[in-house]
Amino acid sequence: EAWYQRRVRGTGLRESHIEAPGEGARILYLTEGAGIGSTDSLVLGIMKHLAGGDTPAVHRGTRQTALARAAAQYAQHPFSADCVSVNHLDTGMFGLSISGHGEEVGDILKASIGVIRELTNPPSDEQLDLAKKKTDTGDHISERYG
């Protein structure tokens, strides 16, 4: 197992890699999110639900989310594509969590980024109401149980 870190040009941030045997790969494509209780955290939570975050696990078959449908076109092996929105007191993370076969994971990531870009188009009222309800419920649960 090899591990190394390198400085990402221009940002001062670090990128980490872990190399291990096998054909599986995982990509976390993240950016800074928003703190708990902010308007931005609610918007990012709604975006996560519109893309297909926090859907129930399916034990046989695949989850039918926008991310899964887009990624399925490029995957011949098992994969997962999820939207991530994590909020802390003063900051957070938002982005994508992708896993799959090493040769396919780049195409799955590109397709998933396309789904996030499409969120700039207005959703239907029904989709927006459902995403708001899911986000509202999640926020109340996290406030109540920490």
Side-chain angles (χ1 to χ4, degrees), residues 55-127:
T55 58
V58 176
H59 299 288
R60 293 192 185 1
T62 60
R63 296 184 296 175
Q64 294 301 310
T65 65
L67 288 171
R69 285 190 300 273
Q73 301 173 39
Y74 301 98
Q76 299 299 313
H77 299 87
F79 72 92
S80 69
D82 295 299
C83 191
V84 177
S85 182
V86 179
N87 307 102
H88 298 284
L89 288 176
D90 59 348
T91 189
M93 292 183 294
F94 179 81
L96 296 165
S97 173
I98 309 294
S99 61
H101 191 276
E103 293 178 5
E104 299 170 349
V105 76
D107 292 332
I108 293 170
L109 177 62
K110 287 177 188 174
S112 299
I113 290 170
V115 169
I116 300 299
R117 281 188 183 139
E118 289 175 12
L119 293 178
T120 59
N121 299 329
S124 70
D125 290 340
E126 182 180 304
Q127 290 173 318

Coordinates of all heavy atoms in Angstrom, one line a residue, residues 55-127:
T55 N -31.2 8.6 -0.4 CA -32.3 7.7 -0.8 C -32.1 6.3 -0.1 O -30.9 6.0 0.2 CB -32.3 7.5 -2.3 OG1 -31.0 6.9 -2.7 CG2 -32.6 8.7 -3.1
P56 N -33.1 5.6 0.2 CA -33.0 4.3 0.9 C -32.1 3.4 0.0 O -32.1 3.4 -1.2 CB -34.4 3.8 0.9 CG -35.3 5.0 0.6 CD -34.5 5.9 -0.2
A57 N -31.4 2.5 0.8 CA -30.5 1.5 0.1 C -31.4 0.5 -0.6 O -32.5 0.1 -0.1 CB -29.7 0.8 1.1
V58 N -31.0 0.0 -1.7 CA -31.7 -1.0 -2.5 C -30.7 -2.2 -2.5 O -29.6 -2.2 -2.9 CB -32.0 -0.6 -3.9 CG1 -32.6 -1.7 -4.7 CG2 -32.9 0.6 -3.9
H59 N -31.2 -3.4 -2.0 CA -30.3 -4.5 -1.9 C -30.2 -5.4 -3.1 O -29.2 -6.0 -3.3 CB -30.8 -5.4 -0.7 CG -30.8 -4.7 0.6 ND1 -29.6 -4.4 1.2 CD2 -31.7 -4.1 1.4 CE1 -29.8 -3.7 2.3 NE2 -31.1 -3.5 2.5
R60 N -31.2 -5.3 -4.0 CA -31.1 -6.0 -5.3 C -31.6 -5.0 -6.3 O -32.7 -4.5 -6.3 CB -32.1 -7.2 -5.3 CG -31.6 -8.2 -4.3 CD -32.3 -9.5 -4.6 NE -32.2 -10.7 -3.7 CZ -31.4 -10.9 -2.7 NH1 -30.7 -9.9 -2.2 NH2 -31.4 -12.0 -2.1
G61 N -30.7 -4.7 -7.2 CA -30.9 -3.7 -8.3 C -30.2 -2.4 -8.0 O -29.2 -2.4 -7.2
T62 N -30.7 -1.3 -8.5 CA -30.0 0.0 -8.3 C -31.0 1.0 -7.9 O -32.2 0.9 -8.1 CB -29.4 0.5 -9.6 OG1 -30.4 0.7 -10.6 CG2 -28.3 -0.4 -10.1
R63 N -30.5 2.1 -7.2 CA -31.4 3.2 -6.8 C -31.6 4.0 -8.0 O -30.8 4.2 -8.9 CB -30.7 4.0 -5.7 CG -30.5 3.3 -4.4 CD -29.9 4.1 -3.4 NE -28.6 4.5 -3.7 CZ -27.9 5.4 -3.0 NH1 -28.3 5.9 -1.9 NH2 -26.7 5.7 -3.4
Q64 N -32.8 4.5 -8.2 CA -33.2 5.2 -9.4 C -33.2 6.7 -9.1 O -34.2 7.4 -8.9 CB -34.6 4.8 -9.8 CG -34.7 3.4 -10.3 CD -33.7 3.2 -11.5 OE1 -33.7 3.9 -12.5 NE2 -32.9 2.1 -11.4
T65 N -32.0 7.3 -9.0 CA -31.7 8.7 -8.8 C -31.2 9.3 -10.1 O -30.7 8.5 -10.9 CB -30.7 8.9 -7.6 OG1 -29.5 8.4 -8.0 CG2 -31.2 8.3 -6.3
A66 N -31.2 10.6 -10.1 CA -30.6 11.2 -11.3 C -29.1 10.9 -11.5 O -28.7 10.6 -12.6 CB -30.8 12.7 -11.2
L67 N -28.4 10.8 -10.4 CA -27.0 10.4 -10.4 C -26.8 9.0 -10.9 O -26.0 8.7 -11.8 CB -26.3 10.6 -9.1 CG -26.1 12.0 -8.6 CD1 -25.6 12.1 -7.2 CD2 -25.1 12.7 -9.5
A68 N -27.6 8.1 -10.4 CA -27.5 6.7 -10.8 C -27.8 6.5 -12.2 O -27.2 5.7 -12.9 CB -28.4 5.8 -9.9
R69 N -28.9 7.1 -12.7 CA -29.3 7.0 -14.1 C -28.2 7.5 -15.0 O -27.9 6.9 -16.1 CB -30.6 7.7 -14.4 CG -31.8 6.9 -13.8 CD -33.1 7.5 -14.3 NE -33.3 8.9 -13.9 CZ -33.8 9.4 -12.8 NH1 -34.2 8.5 -11.9 NH2 -33.9 10.6 -12.5
A70 N -27.6 8.6 -14.7 CA -26.5 9.2 -15.5 C -25.3 8.3 -15.5 O -24.7 8.1 -16.6 CB -26.2 10.6 -15.1
A71 N -24.9 7.8 -14.4 CA -23.7 7.0 -14.3 C -23.9 5.6 -14.9 O -22.9 5.1 -15.4 CB -23.3 6.9 -12.8
A72 N -25.1 5.1 -14.9 CA -25.3 3.7 -15.4 C -24.9 3.6 -16.8 O -24.6 2.5 -17.3 CB -26.8 3.3 -15.2
Q73 N -25.0 4.7 -17.6 CA -24.6 4.6 -19.0 C -23.2 4.3 -19.2 O -22.8 3.8 -20.3 CB -24.9 6.0 -19.7 CG -26.4 6.4 -19.6 CD -26.6 7.8 -20.1 OE1 -25.9 8.2 -21.1 NE2 -27.4 8.6 -19.4
Y74 N -22.3 4.5 -18.2 CA -20.9 4.3 -18.4 C -20.3 3.2 -17.6 O -19.1 2.9 -17.6 CB -20.2 5.6 -18.0 CG -20.6 6.8 -18.8 CD1 -21.5 7.7 -18.4 CD2 -20.0 7.0 -20.1 CE1 -22.0 8.8 -19.1 CE2 -20.5 8.1 -20.9 CZ -21.4 8.9 -20.4 OH -21.8 10.0 -21.2
A75 N -21.2 2.5 -16.8 CA -20.7 1.5 -15.9 C -21.1 0.1 -16.4 O -22.3 -0.2 -16.6 CB -21.3 1.7 -14.5
Q76 N -20.1 -0.8 -16.5 CA -20.4 -2.2 -16.8 C -20.2 -3.0 -15.5 O -20.5 -4.2 -15.5 CB -19.4 -2.7 -17.9 CG -19.6 -2.0 -19.2 CD -21.0 -2.1 -19.8 OE1 -21.5 -3.2 -19.8 NE2 -21.6 -1.0 -20.2
H77 N -19.7 -2.4 -14.4 CA -19.4 -3.1 -13.2 C -20.2 -2.4 -12.1 O -20.7 -1.3 -12.3 CB -17.9 -3.0 -12.8 CG -17.1 -3.7 -13.9 ND1 -16.6 -3.0 -15.0 CD2 -16.6 -4.9 -13.9 CE1 -15.9 -3.9 -15.7 NE2 -15.8 -5.0 -15.1
P78 N -20.3 -2.9 -10.9 CA -21.0 -2.3 -9.8 C -20.4 -0.9 -9.5 O -19.2 -0.7 -9.6 CB -20.8 -3.2 -8.6 CG -20.6 -4.5 -9.2 CD -19.8 -4.3 -10.5
F79 N -21.3 0.1 -9.1 CA -20.8 1.4 -8.9 C -21.8 2.1 -7.9 O -22.9 1.6 -7.6 CB -20.8 2.3 -10.2 CG -22.1 2.6 -10.7 CD1 -22.8 3.8 -10.3 CD2 -22.8 1.7 -11.5 CE1 -24.0 4.1 -10.8 CE2 -24.1 2.0 -12.0 CZ -24.7 3.2 -11.6
S80 N -21.3 3.2 -7.3 CA -22.2 4.1 -6.6 C -21.9 5.5 -6.9 O -20.8 5.9 -7.2 CB -22.1 3.8 -5.1 OG -20.9 4.3 -4.6
A81 N -22.9 6.3 -6.9 CA -22.8 7.8 -7.2 C -23.7 8.5 -6.3 O -25.0 8.3 -6.4 CB -23.1 8.1 -8.6
D82 N -23.2 9.2 -5.3 CA -24.0 9.9 -4.3 C -23.6 11.4 -4.2 O -22.4 11.7 -4.3 CB -23.9 9.2 -2.9 CG -24.4 7.8 -2.9 OD1 -25.6 7.7 -3.2 OD2 -23.6 6.9 -2.7
C83 N -24.6 12.2 -3.8 CA -24.3 13.6 -3.5 C -24.1 13.7 -2.0 O -24.8 13.1 -1.2 CB -25.5 14.5 -4.0 SG -25.2 16.2 -3.9
V84 N -23.1 14.5 -1.6 CA -22.7 14.7 -0.2 C -22.9 16.1 0.2 O -22.5 17.0 -0.5 CB -21.2 14.3 -0.1 CG1 -20.8 14.5 1.4 CG2 -21.0 12.8 -0.5
S85 N -23.6 16.3 1.3 CA -23.7 17.6 1.9 C -23.6 17.5 3.4 O -24.4 16.9 4.0 CB -25.0 18.3 1.5 OG -25.0 19.6 2.1
V86 N -22.4 17.9 3.9 CA -22.2 17.8 5.4 C -22.0 19.2 5.9 O -21.2 19.9 5.4 CB -20.9 16.9 5.6 CG1 -20.6 16.8 7.1 CG2 -21.0 15.6 5.0
N87 N -22.7 19.5 7.0 CA -22.7 20.8 7.6 C -22.2 20.7 9.0 O -22.6 19.8 9.8 CB -24.1 21.4 7.6 CG -24.7 21.4 6.3 OD1 -25.6 20.6 6.0 ND2 -24.3 22.3 5.4
H88 N -21.3 21.6 9.4 CA -20.7 21.8 10.7 C -21.1 23.1 11.2 O -21.8 23.9 10.5 CB -19.2 21.6 10.7 CG -18.8 20.2 10.3 ND1 -18.9 19.1 11.0 CD2 -18.3 19.8 9.1 CE1 -18.5 18.0 10.4 NE2 -18.2 18.4 9.2
L89 N -20.7 23.5 12.4 CA -21.1 24.8 12.9 C -20.8 26.0 12.0 O -21.6 26.9 11.8 CB -20.4 25.0 14.3 CG -21.0 24.2 15.4 CD1 -20.2 24.4 16.7 CD2 -22.4 24.4 15.7
D90 N -19.6 26.0 11.5 CA -19.2 27.2 10.7 C -18.8 27.0 9.3 O -18.5 27.9 8.5 CB -18.0 27.9 11.4 CG -16.8 27.0 11.5 OD1 -16.9 25.8 11.3 OD2 -15.7 27.5 11.8
T91 N -18.8 25.7 8.9 CA -18.5 25.4 7.5 C -19.1 24.0 7.1 O -19.8 23.4 7.9 CB -16.9 25.4 7.3 OG1 -16.7 25.3 5.9 CG2 -16.3 24.3 8.0
G92 N -18.7 23.5 6.0 CA -19.2 22.2 5.6 C -18.6 21.7 4.3 O -17.6 22.3 3.8
M93 N -19.1 20.6 3.8 CA -18.6 20.1 2.5 C -19.7 19.7 1.6 O -20.8 19.3 2.1 CB -17.7 18.8 2.8 CG -16.4 19.0 3.5 SD -15.5 17.5 3.6 CE -16.5 16.5 4.7
F94 N -19.6 19.9 0.3 CA -20.6 19.6 -0.6 C -19.9 19.0 -1.8 O -18.9 19.5 -2.3 CB -21.4 20.8 -1.0 CG -22.5 20.5 -2.1 CD1 -23.7 20.0 -1.7 CD2 -22.3 20.7 -3.4 CE1 -24.7 19.6 -2.6 CE2 -23.2 20.4 -4.3 CZ -24.4 19.9 -3.9
G95 N -20.5 18.0 -2.4 CA -19.9 17.4 -3.6 C -20.4 16.0 -3.9 O -21.6 15.7 -3.6
L96 N -19.5 15.2 -4.5 CA -19.9 13.9 -5.0 C -19.0 12.8 -4.3 O -17.8 13.0 -4.1 CB -19.8 13.8 -6.5 CG -20.7 14.7 -7.3 CD1 -20.2 14.8 -8.7 CD2 -22.1 14.2 -7.2
S97 N -19.6 11.7 -4.1 CA -18.9 10.5 -3.7 C -19.1 9.4 -4.7 O -20.3 9.0 -4.9 CB -19.4 10.0 -2.3 OG -18.8 8.8 -2.0
I98 N -18.1 9.0 -5.4 CA -18.2 8.0 -6.5 C -17.3 6.8 -6.2 O -16.2 7.0 -5.8 CB -17.7 8.7 -7.8 CG1 -18.4 10.0 -8.1 CG2 -17.8 7.7 -9.0 CD1 -19.8 10.0 -8.4
S99 N -17.9 5.7 -6.5 CA -17.0 4.5 -6.4 C -17.4 3.5 -7.5 O -18.5 3.5 -8.0 CB -17.2 3.7 -5.0 OG -18.5 3.3 -4.9
G100 N -16.4 2.8 -8.0 CA -16.7 1.9 -9.1 C -15.4 1.3 -9.6 O -14.3 1.4 -9.0
H101 N -15.5 0.7 -10.8 CA -14.3 0.0 -11.4 C -13.3 1.1 -11.8 O -13.8 2.2 -12.3 CB -14.7 -0.8 -12.6 CG -13.7 -1.6 -13.2 ND1 -12.8 -1.2 -14.1 CD2 -13.4 -3.0 -12.9 CE1 -11.9 -2.2 -14.4 NE2 -12.3 -3.2 -13.7
G102 N -12.0 0.9 -11.6 CA -11.0 1.9 -11.9 C -11.1 2.5 -13.3 O -10.8 3.7 -13.5
E103 N -11.4 1.7 -14.3 CA -11.4 2.2 -15.7 C -12.7 3.0 -16.0 O -12.7 3.7 -17.0 CB -11.3 1.0 -16.6 CG -9.9 0.3 -16.6 CD -9.8 -0.9 -17.5 OE1 -10.7 -1.1 -18.3 OE2 -8.8 -1.5 -17.4
E104 N -13.7 2.8 -15.2 CA -15.0 3.5 -15.4 C -15.3 4.7 -14.6 O -16.1 5.6 -14.9 CB -16.1 2.5 -15.2 CG -16.1 1.3 -16.1 CD -17.1 0.2 -15.7 OE1 -17.7 0.3 -14.6 OE2 -17.2 -0.7 -16.5
V105 N -14.5 4.8 -13.4 CA -14.9 5.8 -12.4 C -14.7 7.3 -13.0 O -15.5 8.1 -12.6 CB -14.1 5.6 -11.1 CG1 -12.6 6.0 -11.3 CG2 -14.7 6.2 -10.0
G106 N -13.8 7.5 -13.9 CA -13.7 8.8 -14.4 C -14.9 9.3 -15.2 O -15.4 10.4 -15.1
D107 N -15.4 8.3 -16.0 CA -16.6 8.6 -16.8 C -17.8 8.8 -15.9 O -18.7 9.6 -16.2 CB -16.9 7.5 -17.9 CG -15.8 7.5 -19.0 OD1 -15.2 8.6 -19.2 OD2 -15.5 6.4 -19.5
I108 N -17.9 8.0 -14.9 CA -19.0 8.1 -13.9 C -19.0 9.5 -13.2 O -20.0 10.1 -13.1 CB -18.9 6.9 -12.9 CG1 -19.2 5.6 -13.6 CG2 -19.9 7.2 -11.7 CD1 -19.0 4.4 -12.7
L109 N -17.8 9.9 -12.9 CA -17.6 11.2 -12.3 C -18.1 12.3 -13.2 O -18.8 13.2 -12.8 CB -16.2 11.5 -11.8 CG -15.9 12.9 -11.2 CD1 -16.7 13.1 -10.0 CD2 -14.4 13.0 -11.0
K110 N -17.7 12.3 -14.5 CA -18.1 13.3 -15.5 C -19.6 13.3 -15.6 O -20.2 14.4 -15.7 CB -17.4 13.0 -16.8 CG -15.9 13.3 -16.8 CD -15.3 13.0 -18.2 CE -13.8 13.1 -18.1 NZ -13.2 12.6 -19.4
A111 N -20.2 12.1 -15.7 CA -21.7 12.1 -15.8 C -22.3 12.7 -14.6 O -23.3 13.4 -14.7 CB -22.1 10.7 -16.1
S112 N -21.8 12.4 -13.4 CA -22.3 12.9 -12.2 C -22.2 14.4 -12.1 O -23.1 15.1 -11.6 CB -21.7 12.2 -11.0 OG -21.9 10.8 -11.0
I113 N -21.1 15.0 -12.5 CA -20.9 16.4 -12.5 C -21.9 17.1 -13.4 O -22.5 18.1 -13.1 CB -19.5 16.8 -12.9 CG1 -18.5 16.4 -11.8 CG2 -19.3 18.3 -13.3 CD1 -17.0 16.5 -12.2
G114 N -22.2 16.4 -14.6 CA -23.3 16.9 -15.5 C -24.6 17.0 -14.8 O -25.4 17.9 -15.0
V115 N -24.9 16.0 -13.9 CA -26.2 16.1 -13.2 C -26.2 17.3 -12.2 O -27.2 18.0 -12.2 CB -26.4 14.8 -12.4 CG1 -27.6 14.9 -11.4 CG2 -26.6 13.6 -13.3
I116 N -25.1 17.5 -11.6 CA -25.1 18.7 -10.6 C -25.2 20.0 -11.4 O -25.9 20.9 -11.0 CB -23.8 18.7 -9.8 CG1 -23.7 17.4 -9.0 CG2 -23.6 19.9 -9.0 CD1 -24.8 17.2 -7.9
R117 N -24.6 20.0 -12.6 CA -24.7 21.2 -13.4 C -26.1 21.5 -13.9 O -26.6 22.6 -14.0 CB -23.8 21.1 -14.7 CG -22.4 21.4 -14.4 CD -21.6 21.4 -15.7 NE -20.2 21.6 -15.4 CZ -19.2 21.0 -16.0 NH1 -19.5 20.2 -17.0 NH2 -18.0 21.3 -15.7
E118 N -26.9 20.4 -14.1 CA -28.3 20.5 -14.6 C -29.2 21.1 -13.5 O -30.3 21.5 -13.8 CB -28.8 19.2 -15.0 CG -28.2 18.7 -16.4 CD -28.6 17.3 -16.8 OE1 -29.6 16.8 -16.1 OE2 -28.0 16.8 -17.7
L119 N -28.7 21.1 -12.2 CA -29.5 21.6 -11.2 C -29.7 23.1 -11.3 O -30.5 23.7 -10.5 CB -28.9 21.2 -9.8 CG -28.9 19.8 -9.4 CD1 -28.2 19.5 -8.1 CD2 -30.3 19.2 -9.4
T120 N -29.0 23.8 -12.2 CA -29.2 25.2 -12.4 C -30.5 25.4 -13.1 O -31.0 26.5 -13.1 CB -28.0 25.8 -13.2 OG1 -27.9 25.2 -14.4 CG2 -26.7 25.7 -12.4
N121 N -31.0 24.4 -13.8 CA -32.3 24.5 -14.5 C -33.4 24.3 -13.4 O -33.3 23.5 -12.5 CB -32.5 23.4 -15.5 CG -31.4 23.5 -16.6 OD1 -31.0 24.6 -16.9 ND2 -31.0 22.4 -17.2
P122 N -34.4 25.1 -13.4 CA -35.5 25.0 -12.4 C -36.1 23.6 -12.4 O -36.5 23.1 -13.4 CB -36.5 26.1 -12.8 CG -35.8 27.0 -13.7 CD -34.7 26.1 -14.4
P123 N -36.3 23.0 -11.2 CA -37.0 21.7 -11.0 C -38.5 22.0 -11.1 O -38.9 23.1 -11.0 CB -36.5 21.2 -9.7 CG -36.3 22.5 -8.9 CD -35.7 23.5 -9.9
S124 N -39.2 20.9 -11.3 CA -40.7 21.0 -11.2 C -41.1 21.3 -9.8 O -40.3 21.1 -8.8 CB -41.3 19.7 -11.6 OG -41.1 18.7 -10.7
D125 N -42.3 21.9 -9.6 CA -42.8 22.2 -8.3 C -42.9 21.0 -7.4 O -42.5 21.1 -6.2 CB -44.2 22.9 -8.4 CG -44.1 24.3 -9.0 OD1 -43.0 24.9 -9.0 OD2 -45.1 24.8 -9.5
E126 N -43.3 19.9 -8.0 CA -43.4 18.6 -7.2 C -42.0 18.2 -6.7 O -41.8 17.8 -5.5 CB -44.0 17.5 -8.1 CG -44.2 16.2 -7.4 CD -44.8 15.2 -8.3 OE1 -45.9 15.5 -8.9 OE2 -44.2 14.1 -8.5
Q127 N -41.0 18.2 -7.6 CA -39.6 17.8 -7.2 C -39.1 18.8 -6.1 O -38.5 18.3 -5.1 CB -38.7 17.9 -8.4 CG -38.9 16.8 -9.4 CD -38.0 17.1 -10.6 OE1 -37.8 18.2 -11.1 NE2 -37.4 16.0 -11.1

